Amino acid sequence: MSSPETKTSIHIDFLDHLRGIAVLMVFLYHAFGQAFKMSQLPWEGWFHCFQVPSVVIAFFPVMVGWCGVAVFFALSGFCIHLSYERSRNKSLRDFYVRRIFRIYPPYLLCLVIFSFIYPWRAIDFHSLVNTQNFFTHLFLVYNFDFKFFYGINVAFWSIAVEFQLYLIYPILLWLVRRVNWLGALTILGIIEIGLRFTEGYLSTVYNTDLPYFIIGAPIYFWFSWSVGARLANAYVKGEPLPFLRLPVRFWVVLTLLAMLVHPLFPLAFTFMAIATVTFMARQFMRPRSLILPGLQHLRFAGLISYSIYLLHFPILDVTMRGIAKFVPALIGHPILLFTIFMVEWVPILGLSYLFYRWIEKPSIDCGKWFLKKYPSAPGIA
């Protein structure tokens, strides 16, 4: 393994590939949902109902694409804590400046476009619900209410959760100082797994859900995010890496099994996050080249993954609306629709790259300029 000094500066290339895989998974999942008008196989008691057209079952691997978000959360926890540990100045003020400039300006621009310019989702401020929808999105608190959770852009939901995880990051650091990493992850694991199992039980037995101020809250994802931070801490400090006891395939199989059993379905997110950090830990222990088709393509998609995430669903949506209006005969042919959406991946990549170059990267640079222009005063935590 590399020395801790080396780890403070090197770029970890395979993380870009993981981001590329994750964003492609999410794209495929949303493309399938638009084409087939369903995101998951229906439930029949404790298990999925397979009394659906065989073509839908053939696309089951695409239906697991939502797990890409779990990959993103684990990667985020890793990268955020790695960046904090690498920084010479451990100022939380600087940490929040970097985070805000990293995600909020691109998000805000998309919010404005999809609220006022995007022709089918314009906000009507004469409606109280629409007004609330916009302002909850503006302040990144829309994840606490089902009415607003998917209110403007279906893919936006995780951005609010992510930002709130940044806000409670100091609590994680405090908890680690008090009870060490094992104790902290045990506490967060009990909270997240307990809530997820409760959600699965209620939805199976009583056909109801926990309120969204719980299942949309950052604590519902805190453990899945923090396992990445735990790996980053060990990696940057040259300590024995965690998550090596069980192989990656164990967690992947557990994820798939959880997806097939209704009460366990919410736990699939947590298992996939652990599978991600397990893969990362093994990659650090025995560095080797990833052997995947289209590897450079995935790396490119990973570099601009945030822009893809912000933009892809509205593009799929506007395409679907255009087809419904001008070529309605295609609506009854989901495979053809899915193929059209696959072709759209290329222009989505191009538009996302331009967005990355003109909006996302300049926003990051503005954050760096701000910190250079207005450095933290000595002693500010």
Side-chain angles (χ1 to χ4, degrees):
M1 295 178 65
S2 304
S3 66
E5 290 78 12
T6 303
K7 293 170 186 171
T8 61
S9 58
I10 59 174
H11 178 75
I12 306 171
D13 289 332
F14 79 86
L15 298 187
D16 293 328
H17 300 122
L18 280 182
R19 289 190 192 93
I21 293 170
V23 78
L24 182 58
M25 289 172 67
V26 172
F27 169 79
L28 291 172
Y29 176 74
H30 286 149
F32 173 84
Q34 287 285 74
F36 286 82
K37 295 304 178 187
M38 62 184 301
S39 298
Q40 298 290 336
L41 293 174
W43 293 105
E44 191 172 51
W46 278 49
F47 302 100
H48 282 296
C49 174
F50 288 92
Q51 300 302 314
V52 294
S54 57
V55 66
V56 174
I57 298 176
F59 276 88
F60 182 77
V62 177
M63 285 186 266
V64 308
W66 63 268
C67 287
V69 181
V71 177
F72 273 128
F73 271 57
L75 281 170
S76 172
F78 178 89
C79 293
I80 294 305
H81 190 68
L82 183 69
S83 175
Y84 180 77
E85 287 295 330
R86 281 176 168 178
S87 61
R88 295 179 180 178
N89 183 359
K90 295 296 192 292
S91 162
L92 288 175
R93 174 259 194 187
D94 289 5
F95 168 79
Y96 286 121
V97 168
R98 286 192 294 268
R99 291 300 94 208
I100 289 171
F101 277 97
R102 176 67 184 87
I103 72 168
Y104 193 71
Y107 162 82
L108 181 60
L109 178 60
C110 287
L111 174 62
V112 171
I113 292 172
F114 302 146
S115 297
F116 300 106
I117 300 173
Y118 187 70
W120 293 283
R121 290 186 185 271
I123 292 293
D124 177 12
F125 283 102
H126 292 94
S127 163
L128 177 60
V129 171
N130 279 341
T131 303
Q132 292 173 331
N133 190 18
F134 177 77
F135 281 102
T136 56
H137 277 76
L138 184 66
F139 294 107
L140 290 169
V141 292
Y142 52 91
N143 53 309
F144 295 111
D145 192 320
F146 175 73
K147 294 194 301 294
F148 313 127
F149 198 81
Y150 302 114
I152 292 178
N153 179 347
V154 166
F156 272 0
W157 73 265
S158 66
I159 297 173
V161 176
E162 183 83 24
F163 186 77
Q164 290 155 20
L165 285 166
Y166 300 160
L167 293 179
I168 62 176
Y169 175 59
I171 301 177
L172 173 63
L173 297 179
W174 173 84
L175 197 58
V176 169
R177 288 195 296 268
R178 294 295 300 270
V179 296
N180 68 41
W181 276 100
L182 178 60
L185 288 184
T186 300
I187 293 170
L188 301 186
I190 290 172
I191 293 172
E192 179 174 325
I193 292 171
L195 289 175
R196 288 182 177 277
F197 183 77
T198 302
E199 165 63 16
Y201 176 79
L202 290 176
S203 62
T204 304
V205 177
Y206 297 103
N207 195 30
T208 188
D209 298 308
L210 287 171
Y212 264 73
F213 66 79
I214 294 178
I215 61 175
I219 58 170
Y220 198 72
F221 305 88
W222 206 359
F223 175 81
S224 297
W225 190 89
S226 297
V227 291
R230 170 66 184 104
L231 178 61
N233 191 78
Y235 170 76
V236 78
K237 294 182 177 179
E239 299 171 354
L241 297 181
F243 309 109
L244 292 170
R245 183 170 301 179
L246 295 171
V248 179
R249 61 179 175 272
F250 171 84
W251 294 108
V252 172
V253 170
L254 203 59
T255 301
L256 294 174
L257 290 176
M259 292 183 67
L260 296 174
V261 183
H262 200 174
L264 302 180
F265 183 82
L267 292 172
F269 189 99
T270 307
F271 296 150
M272 191 63 190
I274 299 175
T276 301
V277 294
T278 302
F279 171 80
M280 293 165 61
R282 292 182 178 274
Q283 188 72 15
F284 288 136
M285 284 293 295
R286 294 185 295 274
R288 54 193 181 275
S289 299
L290 296 178
I291 303 175
L292 293 170
L295 195 62
Q296 289 305 312
H297 174 86
L298 288 174
R299 183 173 186 272
F300 175 70
L303 287 170
I304 61 172
S305 57
Y306 183 49
S307 293
I308 296 173
Y309 194 81
L310 289 171
L311 299 175
H312 77 278
F313 188 84
I315 295 174
L316 293 176
D317 186 52
V318 77
T319 301
M320 190 66 187
R321 291 171 181 271
I323 290 173
K325 182 176 182 179
F326 298 108
V327 199
L330 291 181
I331 298 300
H333 301 278
I335 295 179
L336 182 56
L337 288 174
F338 187 77
T339 303
I340 292 172
F341 294 146
M342 291 303 94
V343 173
E344 278 202 308
W345 174 250
V346 176
I348 286 173
L349 275 181
L351 184 61
S352 298
Y353 174 72
L354 295 178
F355 192 85
Y356 169 79
R357 284 290 304 273
W358 295 343
I359 307 299
E360 185 181 343
K361 193 172 184 301
S363 177
I364 296 171
D365 293 338
C366 282
K368 294 177 180 178
W369 172 87
F370 182 91
L371 290 175
K372 186 177 180 180
K373 182 75 172 178
Y374 304 103
S376 294
I380 291 182

